[in-house]
Amino acid sequence: MNKEEEIYDLTIIGGGPAGLYAAFYAGMRDMRVKIIEGKDQLGGFLHTYSEKTIWDVGGLPPMKCSKLIEYLVQQANTFGPTVELNCKVDRFVRLDNEILALYTAEGDIHYTRTIIVAVGRGIAETQKLELQGPIECEYENLHYTVQNPEHFSGRRVLISGGGNSAVDWAIELANVARSVVVIHRNKEFRAMERNVSEMHNITDVRTPYNITQLHGDGRNIRNVVITHMEIQNNVVLEVDEIVISHGYKSNLSDLASCGLKMDDGMVLMSHHAETNLPGVFAAGDCSTHESKVRLIAGAFNDAIVAVNSAKQYLKPDAPKMAYVSSHNEIFREKNRQLPSS
């Protein structure tokens, strides 16, 4: 059997937090694993806010998201999974011998006994600012993400958005900017309550407002008209930088075409991470069930449950979960290789 026809125990579609932790945990369960990632690097959606500080991963101190990605990739490679980058799965089908064949946009076929769908938000597209008229040009000070917070030092910043990213950037930029105004088209923010309270304390929050006009010099926006969503009065703000944080559009329609049952655009799974297709499981932001937790920490739990279910699908008499690392023989030699503290 040539390399192209090798059959893996588990193929993980997606290299974000859920997929990376699934690869590690599957290694603990002595499964032969392949990760297929559509982009040119592992880490998934985390790359869209690589400079943000992450606080809410259990047991880890606050750190830049780029550092968390580094740790996740390092951990995922513990047991040497096969990794395919720049490889987009178009569809998968079950063959007569019950093996699953994954067909890619690049014309390759990958064979596996089980699948974990962990594509996160899919190939996410940024929700661009929409005005009644066209935006005249690509303004240099109109941003859809924050790559370098120091760029905003001493600047008058306007942030438009109501989710966690908008709130987090407002708090972070308030530490370096001359001023930060936050607007949202709704009165309530869709973000962690503690962060929303902090944002109200250190920035100028105006709701419910929407951006309706931009005025600039051809290269930079100089002032912005915001309009109250209820009484329709206009306010003109002088700005140096604008950050639009209106979320992302995701398209997971390819998954539905494979026969997966969807719910509001996400893969419907059971509490055991099972989809409606035997041998196909789901984890992370692409999936949903009634107790779903949409945090990075929740993605890790999804991954564990999905791997355990995949293992028992392949070997029904296998233990329901892996032994914890302190008692797992698979780590005996690896522990010897660690530097002594």
Side-chain angles (χ1 to χ4, degrees):
M1 180 177 290
N2 60 39
K3 182 178 180 181
E4 288 72 22
E5 294 176 337
E6 288 180 346
I7 301 172
Y8 285 76
D9 295 324
L10 171 64
T11 296
I12 301 163
I13 308 174
L20 292 173
Y21 196 78
F24 167 73
Y25 193 80
M28 289 178 64
R29 304 227 58 180
D30 200 26
M31 299 172 76
R32 189 159 180 255
V33 178
K34 176 182 283 187
I35 302 172
I36 298 179
E37 166 57 45
K39 296 186 178 179
D40 61 358
Q41 58 187 340
L42 296 171
F45 194 74
L46 296 183
H47 285 287
T48 62
Y49 47 91
S50 60
E51 290 304 310
K52 283 177 63 175
T53 300
I54 303 296
W55 285 77
D56 56 354
V57 177
L60 292 181
M63 66 179 66
K64 294 294 185 184
C65 192
S66 56
K67 178 59 69 173
L68 178 60
I69 294 170
E70 180 184 329
Y71 287 159
L72 286 170
V73 172
Q74 179 180 333
Q75 184 182 52
N77 283 317
T78 300
F79 300 103
T82 298
V83 177
E84 301 280 355
L85 299 176
N86 292 310
C87 188
K88 182 180 182 298
V89 175
D90 277 345
R91 62 190 178 95
F92 54 83
V93 298
R94 189 179 306 279
L95 306 178
D96 291 341
N97 59 2
E98 293 302 308
I99 297 299
L100 291 157
L102 296 89
Y103 296 85
T104 71
E106 296 72 28
D108 298 320
I109 308 175
H110 302 264
Y111 298 97
T112 186
R113 293 182 173 88
T114 63
I115 293 171
I116 292 178
V117 178
V119 296
R121 307 183 189 198
I123 306 299
E125 297 180 6
T126 303
Q127 293 262 35
K128 296 296 182 74
L129 177 64
E130 295 182 356
L131 303 178
Q132 288 186 347
I135 298 177
E136 297 174 0
C137 60
E138 292 291 327
Y139 291 108
E140 294 180 4
N141 62 339
L142 179 63
H143 311 276
Y144 289 96
T145 187
V146 176
Q147 298 292 344
N148 177 17
E150 290 302 319
H151 171 80
F152 298 83
S153 180
R155 312 286 279 174
R156 296 168 298 182
V157 180
L158 171 65
I159 298 176
S160 176
N164 281 302
S165 291
V167 173
D168 291 347
W169 283 129
I171 294 170
E172 186 150 355
L173 295 183
N175 294 321
V176 297
R178 173 180 166 185
S179 63
V180 175
V181 177
V182 182
I183 67 168
H184 181 35
R185 62 184 297 115
N186 298 317
K187 293 181 179 179
E188 301 295 328
F189 286 82
R190 307 178 312 280
M192 292 187 179
E193 295 91 338
R194 184 182 183 87
N195 290 348
V196 172
S197 296
E198 182 179 358
M199 177 187 67
H200 276 278
N201 289 334
I202 62 176
T203 70
D204 180 0
V205 178
R206 306 191 189 190
T207 61
Y209 277 93
N210 193 29
I211 293 175
T212 52
Q213 296 179 44
L214 304 175
H215 298 288
D217 58 13
R219 291 183 57 187
N220 289 286
I221 299 165
R222 298 304 180 188
N223 59 67
V224 175
V225 178
I226 62 173
T227 302
H228 196 280
M229 300 296 294
E230 295 174 353
I231 59 178
Q232 298 300 306
N233 69 305
N234 293 332
V235 177
V236 179
L237 301 174
E238 293 186 355
V239 297
D240 298 311
E241 307 286 345
I242 303 95
V243 178
I244 304 300
S245 186
H246 292 175
Y248 295 82
K249 296 178 182 178
S250 298
N251 184 1
L252 304 179
S253 58
D254 287 347
L255 299 178
S257 68
C258 295
L260 285 171
K261 188 174 181 180
M262 311 290 284
D263 180 19
D264 195 24
M266 292 174 285
V267 180
L268 186 62
M269 68 175 184
S270 73
H271 290 290
H272 297 288
E274 301 157 316
T275 71
N276 60 303
L277 301 179
V280 181
F281 307 90
D285 277 350
C286 69
S287 60
T288 189
H289 60 74
E290 61 184 15
S291 300
K292 179 72 177 179
V293 177
R294 297 200 176 279
L295 292 172
I296 295 172
F300 298 156
N301 187 71
D302 284 354
I304 292 168
V305 175
V307 169
N308 286 335
S309 293
K311 181 70 176 184
Q312 288 202 296
Y313 176 85
L314 295 176
K315 190 177 180 182
D317 61 346
K320 291 185 178 181
M321 62 176 287
Y323 293 110
V324 296
S325 62
S326 58
H327 293 80
N328 195 320
E329 288 295 318
I330 203 167
F331 289 104
R332 184 180 295 275
E333 182 57 34
K334 292 185 181 296
N335 286 338
R336 295 193 188 100
Q337 296 169 7
L338 292 175
S340 57
S341 57

